[in-house]
Structures are given as structure tokens and as C-alpha cells.
Amino acid sequence: METNMVTGAWQTCRSNSVMKRMFTLFPAFLPLLGYAGNTEEEETQKERPNILFITVDDLRPELACYGETQIKSPNIDRLASESYFFERSYCNIPVSGASRASLFTGIRSHVNTLLTAASWIDKDAENAITLPELLKKSGYYTISESKVYHHDTDREQSWDERYRDRNDMNPEAWKNYVVYKGTGAKNEKPPAYECADVADEAYIDGRTAENAMKHLRALKEKGKPFFLGVGFLKPHLPFNAPAKYWKMYDRNELKVPENFRLDFPTIPKRAFHNSGELRTYKDIPEERLFSEDFAKLLIHGYYACVSYVDAQIGKVLDELKRLEMDKNTIVVLLGDHGWNLGEHAMWNKHCNFSTSLEAPLMIKVPGRKGSAVCSVVEFIDIYPTLCDLCGVEKPVGQLQGESLLPVMENPRRIVKEYAVAKFKNAVTLITPRYTYTEWFSADDKMQDRMLFDLKVDREENLNVAENASMKSLVNKLSKELWKRRGY
């Protein structure tokens, strides 16, 4: 059993077979990857690739490119088919503030830092240099459009330009919506969804796409390498999308997850939460287990928002191609963490199940055709990978991830044995076959643990940590977890 844990031939992937989606890899290595022979800095900068870095808030890997066909996302799927597409990618913290701060600094969270939505790079990693900041110092022109970092004014020196549209981000603005006519009362909860017959630009993400296209046109004229970060808000709550995207789905055909129930006797109670983020919205039932009809309404809203944001991403990618900038632009697309959509009777993120930890990641590299990659990878691996692709020297002693170039050269390769994710006092160790979690008390004692064998229990319903047959494996994983938990 242990021989398959990391290096065995079997790995759990969302697709039936990685080989189904293997693409031919160009044999030529990119000329982008090394610049030691250049003597003129300007010439070096001209050769360096641009980066279009797209973040999507709360995007889970429920997409056709991941073998899940119920959501209509043709533009993201098209990008995946042209990219190194990571089937087992994990955020390091399942909450936006900490996840983004971690991935843009390339460092893990610790006992009191980079753990919550309130995490700031300037406060929690003040001595770190961010990826955009490093690129800016290396001659790149850097722009942040909408939610790239979690906080608008965090690490401002990263950017030459930054923009954030806040027009529908707070309850006071809800009275301007088409369907919902709020009273403007200070403590009024906004609704969790809206289906309005409006143009894409009525909501922030439509305007973000338009602004991103304007930035691309301006950047083409500058003639410098650039890092353009574009942050899309949906499918984050509230589930507001133009009606045409809601109409893409028949709610009667939607299904709740198979584990949409509360009976999980082997799993510690502390593994679950009460979907607190969702309950900050109006008209949410008080009981934890919603009716199937209400659950389908929320699933419908989430799907509509994914299709809406997919259309906006398509506009930006089409403009990149129209401007013929795709030939020298690396495109990165990721969800900042996963999202529970009724699994284990939970909604939102904020837990240590794979539904919260696993998120899409794809990297399109000009000059190469991509491939599906089954190796377990972490978001902290993105920073060193882009440094290598752009020929930029990495900050000494800072980065804790590993470059993904080896799996780009050989997609069957296992780039790392473990990924590590944290939420509050819980640490999860992820292997190609297992997920193992321990909760720690304030005095650093293990309180609870859970182990899932993804080969036979992809939905993580049966905790086998206390099974006698798993004792040796649990001891091995526990030792590795303690080595890597970052305390």
C-alpha cells in the first residue's frame, strides 16, 4: 500500500486517463528560458515573454477540461487544450486573502500568518518580494486590473498601474441593481443571487474584461514585456450574472452532489462548518441541510456565473490573439481556491476537504503545445516556474515551491511527493493517492485526524485514519506532515 503512496504507477486524476488528453510536445526548448549570453539588458527585455495572469475567484475544477461536462465553459476549456493543464493542483490556504498572498510571494503560511482573508503581504510577508514586484524590477511593465491581490492597496509598489472597480462590492450599492431594490438600510443583507436581463458590463467582470482589452492595446504600443494581472470576481458570491447565462441551464436537470447529506460518522465533527459566508446573504435557510430545490437554485447560480466569467475570459484571450500578442505571452489561469457546492452539506470554501483545496491551474507557454499533467502541484510552485520561463533570477532564500519546468518537459514526471495546505489549526498533506489531515491544539497537540484513499473514495466520505491496516501509513504521513507544516 505504501509503495503506491507517492511513486507508484497509479495516480488519482479527474480524467479517466491522462493519456486521453496528451498532446504532442514540441521538441524545441523555448528560447525564452535563458539569457546568460545576452550582454545588453534592453535586448534581454525584448526577448522576454509577456505574462497574462488571470485569477478567478472561487473557481472549482468543475469544468469540461476536468472531465465534468455539466458546466458550459468553452473558453477556459479551449485555453486548457493549449496549455500545461494541471489536473491535481492545490491552493495552500483555502481562503482568498491568504491564498493570493502566498502564491504571489511563493511562501507557505505559518502558525499566525497567511491564514485568513485578512492576510496582507505588507503585514504577513513584509520582507518578501512579490512576483509582479520582481518582474517590475526586471524591466516588466506591471498592471493590476480588478482583484489580483485580495486587498486593493496591498504591496502597491508591485504595480505601474492598478485599477479596482468596487461598484457592486458592498451592500450600499445593491439598491442600484435591476431586480433587487434595497432600502439602503445599513445592516440589510444583500441577496445571494440575481438573474437580471442586463448586458455583461452591468456587473464588474464584464467591465474588467473591457478594461483588460484596453490594457492589452496600450501595452502593445509600449513595446516592453509586461505582467498584466486580471482578476475576475465570479463565481464568488453573490451569484449575479446576466439572465442569458442562467438560461444556458435547465434547473430541473441539475443534480445535488452524491454526498449531499450529513451522515459521515467516521469524519471528525471539526472538519465541517456551517457555511457561514453564505449565511451573510439574505433569505438563506436556517437549517444546515438545505432542501434539494434550494440547493439546485444555488448550483444554478454558480453555474451561470462560471459561464458568465468564461465569456469574459474568452473576450480577453480573443483580443490577445487579434493583437498577435499571443505569440509571446504566457497565459496563466487559476482559481484562487476550491469551493463546496453542497458536498458534505457545505457551501463556500474554508475547510480541509479537497473540494476547498483543489482548484484549476493552467499555463500556456508560447512556442509549445501543452499537455495534461497529473503530478500533484501547489500554487507556491507558480512563482519559480514563471521566473524560469522569463529568465528572471529568483529571490534568494524566499521561494518555497518548486519550478514546474520538469513536468513541462516530461508531463508524466512526478515533480513533488507532497503538497501541503492549511486552514486555521488544520494541516493537510496531499499525495498522489491520499489526503491526510491533522488538527492541532493551542499547545501543539494533535486533536483529530482524517485520511482518505482517493483511489477508492474520491469524494472523501470514509475516514480510514483509525483503521488498523492503515497504522503504518498514518505514522509515515504524520511524520511528513509535521516536517512540512511550517510552524
Side-chain angles (χ1 to χ4, degrees):
M1 186 173 297
E2 290 181 28
T3 58
N4 284 339
M5 182 177 68
V6 175
T7 59
W10 181 87
Q11 293 192 77
T12 179
C13 290
R14 288 184 170 270
S15 60
N16 292 329
S17 170
V18 177
M19 294 306 293
K20 281 186 181 179
R21 292 204 296 269
M22 282 291 184
F23 306 97
T24 302
L25 192 65
F26 280 144
F29 201 64
L30 278 178
L32 310 174
L33 302 184
Y35 299 99
N38 292 330
T39 56
E40 296 292 334
E41 180 63 22
E42 290 184 0
E43 290 302 313
T44 297
Q45 291 180 12
K46 286 180 182 178
E47 293 179 6
R48 282 178 172 155
N50 309 309
I51 300 174
L52 172 59
F53 198 106
I54 301 172
T55 62
V56 186
D57 220 328
D58 288 5
L59 183 66
R60 55 192 257 144
E62 188 175 358
L63 304 163
C65 53
Y66 281 88
E68 306 288 345
T69 58
Q70 55 270 46
I71 287 182
K72 298 176 176 64
S73 53
N75 296 292
I76 296 175
D77 295 334
R78 169 168 53 96
L79 177 63
S81 72
E82 301 167 346
S83 301
Y84 293 99
F85 163 68
F86 297 89
E87 295 197 328
R88 296 288 307 284
S89 59
Y90 292 85
C91 70
N92 295 98
I93 314 97
V95 62
S96 183
S99 178
R100 292 167 188 256
S102 173
L103 76 89
F104 280 116
T105 58
I107 61 177
R108 299 186 184 279
S109 60
H110 294 277
V111 62
N112 292 316
T113 60
L114 296 181
L115 286 173
T116 70
S119 297
W120 287 65
I121 298 170
D122 282 340
K123 296 176 183 178
D124 292 338
E126 60 182 347
N127 295 321
I129 180 170
T130 68
L131 174 63
E133 192 177 0
L134 177 69
L135 293 171
K136 182 180 176 182
K137 290 180 178 180
S138 301
Y140 277 70
Y141 196 84
T142 61
I143 300 177
S144 171
E145 175 60 47
S146 194
K147 185 180 176 182
V148 180
Y149 296 167
H150 185 75
H151 303 285
D152 295 15
T153 57
D154 198 8
R155 196 52 62 90
E156 293 179 87
Q157 64 264 35
S158 298
W159 310 108
D160 289 295
E161 302 177 41
R162 61 183 176 85
Y163 305 88
R164 189 75 170 261
D165 186 337
R166 284 282 187 176
N167 285 346
D168 62 357
M169 287 289 285
N170 62 79
E172 290 297 314
W174 283 83
K175 56 183 173 288
N176 298 319
Y177 273 25
V178 176
V179 173
Y180 175 66
K181 298 296 181 183
T183 64
K186 190 172 184 179
N187 296 320
E188 184 176 6
K189 289 183 177 181
Y193 55 89
E194 179 177 75
C195 174
D197 190 11
V198 294
D200 288 0
E201 293 73 33
Y203 298 119
I204 286 179
D205 284 342
R207 300 192 292 272
T208 294
E210 293 296 322
N211 291 337
M213 290 188 284
K214 291 178 183 176
H215 293 319
L216 287 173
R217 292 191 286 271
L219 287 166
K220 184 175 177 67
E221 299 301 316
K222 281 190 178 294
K224 291 182 65 175
F226 64 79
F227 179 98
L228 173 59
V230 182
F232 290 102
L233 302 182
K234 301 305 171 190
H236 192 291
L237 282 166
F239 297 147
N240 297 334
K244 63 183 178 181
Y245 298 103
W246 288 78
K247 293 176 182 177
M248 293 170 68
Y249 301 94
D250 181 347
R251 194 177 305 167
N252 295 322
E253 295 180 357
L254 302 181
K255 297 179 180 180
V256 298
E258 291 184 5
N259 59 355
F260 181 68
R261 54 186 172 85
L262 282 174
D263 186 20
F264 302 100
T266 63
I267 300 176
K269 299 297 184 186
R270 67 181 76 246
F272 306 101
H273 61 64
N274 196 35
S275 308
E277 181 183 2
L278 178 60
R279 295 183 189 280
T280 63
Y281 292 86
K282 187 177 180 179
D283 299 329
I284 302 301
E286 292 184 5
E287 65 273 12
R288 182 180 172 194
L289 184 60
F290 301 159
S291 70
E292 287 200 11
D293 284 344
F294 190 76
K296 287 182 179 180
L297 185 153
L298 293 177
I299 292 170
H300 191 176
Y302 184 92
Y303 285 12
C305 285
V306 173
S307 292
Y308 166 56
V309 80
D310 176 80
Q312 311 319 305
I313 291 168
K315 294 175 186 176
V316 177
L317 295 177
D318 288 346
E319 183 68 1
L320 184 74
K321 186 173 183 179
R322 187 190 71 80
L323 294 168
E324 297 184 339
M325 299 169 75
D326 58 316
K327 298 174 182 177
N328 192 36
T329 300
I330 296 167
V331 180
V332 179
L333 185 145
L334 59 85
D336 57 353
H337 41 66
W339 214 82
N340 300 294
L341 204 57
E343 292 87 2
H344 299 105
M346 289 193 296
W347 306 82
N348 318 123
K349 47 273 188 184
H350 307 136
C351 69
N352 290 70
F353 290 106
S354 291
T355 43
S356 278
L357 304 180
E358 201 168 357
L361 171 63
M362 52 198 74
I363 303 175
K364 180 181 178 183
V365 182
R368 290 188 174 195
K369 286 187 177 180
S371 173
V373 177
C374 204
S375 176
V376 168
V377 301
E378 305 171 90
F379 280 4
I380 57 170
D381 300 330
I382 298 170
Y383 191 148
T385 301
L386 292 178
C387 285
D388 284 348
L389 287 172
C390 295
V392 173
E393 187 174 349
K394 304 179 185 79
V396 177
Q398 176 180 315
L399 304 186
Q400 296 176 307
E402 299 178 41
S403 175
L404 300 176
L405 283 189
V407 294
M408 291 180 176
E409 296 169 356
N410 179 5
R412 301 186 199 183
R413 183 172 180 173
I414 305 302
V415 71
K416 57 176 36 179
E417 295 182 330
Y418 306 100
V420 180
K422 298 180 187 178
F423 186 66
K424 294 185 176 179
N425 66 327
V427 183
T428 298
L429 187 74
I430 301 147
T431 84
R433 178 166 177 170
Y434 300 97
T435 57
Y436 176 71
T437 302
E438 289 187 7
W439 283 264
F440 297 92
S441 64
D443 59 353
D444 217 25
K445 294 181 180 178
M446 195 269 288
Q447 295 175 303
D448 270 315
R449 61 190 178 187
M450 61 185 185
L451 170 68
F452 298 108
D453 182 348
L454 303 181
K455 183 177 181 180
V456 297
D457 182 23
R458 190 67 180 84
E459 304 305 318
E460 299 179 321
N461 295 326
L462 181 63
N463 174 22
V464 295
E466 307 309 324
N467 290 13
S469 62
M470 293 292 182
K471 184 176 180 179
S472 176
L473 175 61
V474 167
N475 289 339
K476 180 183 179 75
L477 292 175
S478 182
K479 288 179 183 178
E480 292 295 340
L481 185 148
W482 276 73
K483 285 180 188 177
R484 302 164 189 272
R485 66 186 187 137
Y487 282 62

